[in-house]
Amino acid sequence: MTETTHQQPPAAPRGAGAGTRSPEYQVARNVLRGLRRDLFRDPFAYRPLPPRPADGPLVRRLPARLRSAARHLPHAVVGALALIALMVGTLSSGLPGGDVMALLIGLLCALPVLTTLVRPVGAFWLSLAVTPVVALVKSGQGDWPWMPGAFVGHLAVLVVVALRTRPRTAAWMWVLTGVYAFLSDGVLGGSYYSTNSAPMMVTSAFALLVVSLWHVRRTAQQEVTAQQTVTAHERSRRTALEERTTIARELHDVVAHHMSVVAIQAEAAPYRVENPPPELERAFATIRENAVAALAELRRILGVVRAEDYEAPDAPQPTLADLDALLVNVRGAGLTVEKVVTGAVRELPQGVELSAYRIVQEALSNSLRHAPGASARVEIGYVLGGLGIRVVNGPAPRPSLVKPAPHTGAGHGLTGMRERVTMLSGEMTAGPTDDGGYEVAVFLPVATVNEGDA
């Protein structure tokens, strides 16, 4: 005996066969989904007709009193259409002025038109429901299936709802109107002398086509306006970038030239003095190193602005670990600096490290400029919720051989520090102290990571 084993193919998961359906099935499914979304999903939702915008070219020319009234012009037009449907339905249904049934028919014809003001999709279904009621009330007299009042009312409903929705909804309303006309003529229209389904379908098709073209034109205008806005924004942005590039080029040409001259003169100055003291040589060496470092930093930063294909160097950005080198440099320039670190030193996010370093650097630079010869204190506090920075310097000694730079208000240094602190959602205070010095206090929040989240 031989045993043959047949392997059964694995069962396809539920819903997996939807992707293998024919294109015709997918099209039909999408069409039915659109019909359900447009006319069957919450059809009686409350959607009041908004007032007309008062910034139109014609409305702006009107007086203020008429301009306020013109905002409700769409509501007045819908009310006028409802009044016309009421009059046509009443006058064509019996003796004018005394027939209660004629007035009832007129009210039934006008009700769907008024409903378009608050529930547009529901007004369409109400108009379809009112049409056979009006025909049955008249007991077979007149055209079928739309009596004159119902004809005017349904046509007005189609136009108003199409204006308030979109072309796809208008197409679905026209199709359902055609289905209703076909069923009315084929099933219930045997006892009637004539039918007005064809006039309704042709008239409504023309009206809805005009409304759809208006929708397409308005959508195209909105897209063009949006594109023009984007183009204007891009043009303004490009102009700003060109201005920045020009400023960067001029700044580089001017500052780089002077910094190069400073570096060269600092290097050559000791050779102009016979037997210069070691302190003077170290001072000039420090000046040259600072000038070269500033020139390199300037070229690196301005290169980002000037060149589109500029690639940033791979050198790491300074962090709080580089503060000691910064303080040595500042001490060589004549500022006595003391650093105090409190709390458990830990690694912080790169943006916080870089911003903290730049804030301390700028604060010490301000101390050098405005209080030469003074003493400064840098306090770094590692706390649970972030990092605290405090840079305070005393007043400049008097008399002093070096004149302090004049105060011209809040310069770019303080502005840059505030921008960095704001970017990190921190807090900053800066101002003079009681003894004539200056203090900069900053707190940079740092999100803590729980052990369970790691």
Side-chain angles (χ1 to χ4, degrees), residues 77-97 99-114 130 134 138 147-157:
V77 172
V78 173
L81 293 176
L83 181 60
I84 293 174
L86 172 65
M87 294 176 58
V88 173
T90 302
L91 297 178
S92 63
S93 301
L95 297 177
D99 194 347
V100 178
M101 295 303 297
L103 181 60
L104 177 62
I105 291 176
L107 293 175
L108 289 176
C109 296
L111 180 62
V113 182
L114 292 176
V130 163
V134 172
K138 290 198 62 175
M147 299 299 120
F151 190 99
V152 174
H154 189 69
L155 190 61
V157 167

Side-chain angles (χ1 to χ4, degrees), residues 303-341:
V304 177
V305 181
R306 295 181 60 181
E308 295 181 358
D309 55 350
Y310 177 82
E311 295 183 0
D314 296 332
Q317 295 290 336
T319 62
L320 290 176
D322 302 315
L323 271 184
D324 292 335
L326 174 63
L327 298 183
V328 170
N329 193 3
V330 173
R331 291 188 185 104
L335 184 67
T336 303
V337 184
E338 177 188 4
K339 185 181 79 167
V340 178
V341 179

Side-chain angles (χ1 to χ4, degrees), residues 42-50 74-75 78 111-124 126 160-161 164-165:
D42 200 6
F44 289 93
Y46 182 70
R47 292 174 52 195
L49 179 64
H75 305 79
V78 173
L111 180 62
V113 182
L114 292 176
T115 308
T116 58
L117 293 173
V118 290
R119 307 181 191 275
V121 178
F124 167 74
L126 182 60
V160 175
V161 176
R164 295 200 58 192
T165 54

Side-chain angles (χ1 to χ4, degrees), residues 42 116 126 193 227 236 266 290 337 361 434:
D42 200 6
T116 58
L126 182 60
Y193 179 77
Q227 187 64 34
S236 175
N290 288 334
V337 184
Q361 183 184 37
D434 296 335

Side-chain angles (χ1 to χ4, degrees), residues 131 135 142-147 177-201:
T131 299
D143 293 329
W144 174 267
W146 281 279
M147 299 299 120
T177 300
V179 171
Y180 172 78
F182 175 78
L183 295 177
S184 298
D185 292 342
V187 178
L188 301 175
S191 61
Y192 286 81
Y193 179 77
S194 62
T195 176
N196 56 0
S197 296
M200 169 59 75
M201 298 307 299

